[in-house]
Amino acid sequence: MTVKKAAAKRSVKMSGKSYSCPSGFPVKGNRTGSKNEWKYHVRGGAYYERTKPEECFKTTADARKAGYRASKR
């Protein structure tokens, strides 16, 4: 008998109405105005507080794996 471990949840989809991510998912991800590029924002970044996340991640590595790039600020 083989027992499979459940995959750890690495992101949470958001409704886009809140500026906050759930506890444990501090990295905010959203699309740019042109919708062609996906960026992630970390605490202390220039746009973190004013970003309404479309998806929240546990780590920046999780965001990169999902196709997001780091914000330049």
Side-chain angles (χ1 to χ4, degrees):
M1 180 173 171
T2 304
V3 177
K4 290 186 179 181
K5 186 178 179 181
K9 193 170 190 177
R10 299 181 183 272
S11 72
V12 175
K13 299 284 185 182
M14 302 297 289
S15 66
K17 294 178 183 179
S18 174
Y19 287 92
S20 300
C21 283
S23 177
F25 295 85
V27 181
K28 294 180 177 182
N30 72 335
R31 294 183 185 186
T32 62
S34 64
K35 304 288 185 193
N36 294 328
E37 206 169 34
W38 296 7
K39 296 180 187 176
Y40 67 83
H41 304 269
V42 295
R43 286 191 181 121
Y47 299 107
Y48 186 82
E49 293 300 324
R50 59 177 129 171
T51 296
K52 286 185 181 179
E54 295 175 27
E55 192 166 4
C56 296
F57 298 93
K58 282 192 172 194
T59 66
T60 56
D62 293 335
R64 285 192 301 273
K65 286 179 189 174
Y68 290 77
R69 72 159 179 85
S71 173
K72 292 180 182 176
R73 295 185 183 185

